[in-house]
Amino acid sequence: MTIQQQVITILMVVLGTMLTRFLPFLIFPADKPTPKYIQYLGKVLPAAALGLLVVYCLKDVSVFQGSHGIPELISVILIVVLHFWKRQMLLSIAGGTICYMVLVQTVF
């Protein structure tokens, strides 16, 4: 890329970031109540996004080949146990990831 293209790219990224940061405050001012539909989305989208990530992570697991999905199953169980025990999302994700990587690299 030329210098001019790099500058334009950086400016577009800055503009996109600023737009996504400030647009909600412009659309939904503080003096007006938030619409019910937006409140509903705020409640259901986090769970939907996590569900989508779980499906994406487990989509290629085959129970009929290789390790039969055992490392994935153990890691998912560990994630659930850690989350219900400590209620710390980052701890749950890190624990499950470390467990999976250790199992795949050393056991399976």
Side-chain angles (χ1 to χ4, degrees):
M1 269 200 241
T2 65
I3 296 294
Q4 182 181 9
Q5 290 172 331
Q6 291 176 358
V7 170
I8 291 171
T9 301
I10 291 170
L11 289 174
M12 289 293 120
V13 170
V14 168
L15 179 66
T17 302
M18 299 296 281
L19 185 67
T20 57
R21 301 287 185 204
F22 295 131
L23 193 61
F25 295 104
L26 297 173
I27 295 174
F28 307 113
D31 58 345
K32 291 185 181 178
T34 306
K36 295 289 183 193
Y37 183 69
I38 301 300
Q39 291 176 0
Y40 169 74
L41 288 177
K43 290 178 185 173
V44 298
L45 281 180
L50 286 177
L52 183 67
L53 286 172
V54 169
V55 169
Y56 178 76
C57 288
L58 299 177
K59 71 178 172 51
D60 292 328
V61 175
S62 175
V63 294
F64 302 112
Q65 295 177 352
S67 60
H68 307 290
I70 295 170
E72 291 86 354
L73 179 65
I74 292 170
S75 299
V76 167
I77 290 170
L78 179 67
I79 290 169
V80 170
V81 168
L82 279 174
H83 187 71
F84 281 119
W85 177 42
K86 289 291 187 176
R87 299 276 183 194
Q88 294 287 327
M89 183 172 40
L90 291 176
L91 175 66
S92 305
I93 293 170
T97 302
I98 291 168
C99 174
Y100 176 74
M101 294 309 293
V102 167
L103 288 173
V104 169
Q105 297 295 323
T106 60
V107 179
F108 294 97

